[in-house]
Amino acid sequence: MPAPRRTQQQRREETRLRLLDATIGCLVEYGFAGTTTQRVQERAGVSRGALLHHFASKADLLAAATHHVAELRLAHIRTETEGGPHDREKGLALLRTAMSGPHFLAGLELWLAARTDPDLRAALLPAERDVGAAQRAVMADIFGPETAAREDFALLCESLLVLHRGLALTSVLREDPTIDDELLRL
């Protein structure tokens, strides 16, 4: 029996997601400066008209990619935490994977570009706040109610997130990957 035909809305959404996924791939492979609309279009396998139908400018595409990256990172965190409380090792491993990999690298490219692009920064802030809130919820679960009730818990969470971001950044030039494990254990 043939598969049911997709609606126009489903085809539009599929094209939009292909463009966003292609943008993330380009950010990871070429960096922010090398992510062009032409590369995204080619990678997504769509026409110029299809790209412009969904995103009138590169700024619109990158703003949408910002939210898409955050949604993918949040989905990963939520999927991994569906089973309830985690022990410390598993929870810290979850945070580590959430703070690495292609989605995280694409996010870093956008963060760096947002430093000098106020519109991109404005698009990035709400999405990153949502990701940060999900990560803090995981940390509250990992460390338990007693630690989560501490007055300095927000600072503890931020310190751990900053450490993870720093490890991800410095891993580009680091030859010994075991240093990450040692720092996280400490």
Side-chain angles (χ1 to χ4, degrees):
M1 183 173 228
R5 287 190 62 166
R6 293 175 296 142
T7 66
Q8 181 64 28
Q9 177 64 30
Q10 289 169 323
R11 288 192 302 271
R12 270 195 302 269
E13 185 59 25
E14 180 183 293
T15 300
R16 185 176 187 283
L17 284 175
R18 282 192 1 233
L19 286 164
L20 292 173
D21 288 339
T23 303
I24 291 169
C26 286
L27 285 166
V28 172
E29 187 172 344
Y30 303 110
F32 181 82
T35 296
T36 63
T37 55
Q38 180 68 33
R39 278 189 169 146
V40 170
Q41 172 193 329
E42 289 169 1
R43 191 178 197 118
V46 301
S47 68
R48 184 77 178 158
L51 172 71
L52 293 174
H53 172 76
H54 290 279
F55 304 103
S57 67
K58 182 178 178 181
D60 290 342
L61 175 64
L62 292 172
T66 295
H67 293 282
H68 188 58
V69 167
E71 288 166 9
L72 291 169
R73 291 174 60 207
L74 278 170
H76 171 74
I77 291 169
R78 289 184 179 129
T79 298
E80 293 296 320
T81 57
E82 281 179 350
H86 290 82
D87 64 41
R88 189 171 283 195
E89 287 293 316
K90 185 174 180 182
L92 290 173
L94 167 61
L95 285 175
R96 186 173 185 181
T97 60
M99 303 292 288
S100 62
H103 299 140
F104 180 74
L105 293 175
L108 283 179
E109 288 291 331
L110 292 166
W111 277 27
L112 291 172
R115 185 180 70 80
T116 56
D117 184 332
D119 293 333
L120 186 58
R121 179 178 166 78
L124 189 61
L125 282 173
E128 285 300 319
R129 283 188 188 119
D130 291 344
V131 172
Q135 290 169 328
R136 283 187 296 281
V138 169
M139 286 186 260
D141 179 42
I142 293 168
F143 294 114
E146 186 176 303
T147 302
R150 287 175 37 172
E151 188 177 309
D152 63 348
F153 184 68
L155 187 59
L156 173 71
C157 290
E158 190 61 26
S159 298
L160 191 54
L161 294 175
V162 167
L163 174 62
H164 276 35
R165 286 183 198 116
L167 290 172
L169 283 171
T170 58
S171 69
V172 173
L173 300 176
R174 190 177 315 110
E175 293 180 17
D176 181 4
T178 63
I179 291 174
D180 288 8
D181 295 330
E182 292 174 32
L183 284 170
L184 288 171
R185 268 193 302 279
L186 177 65

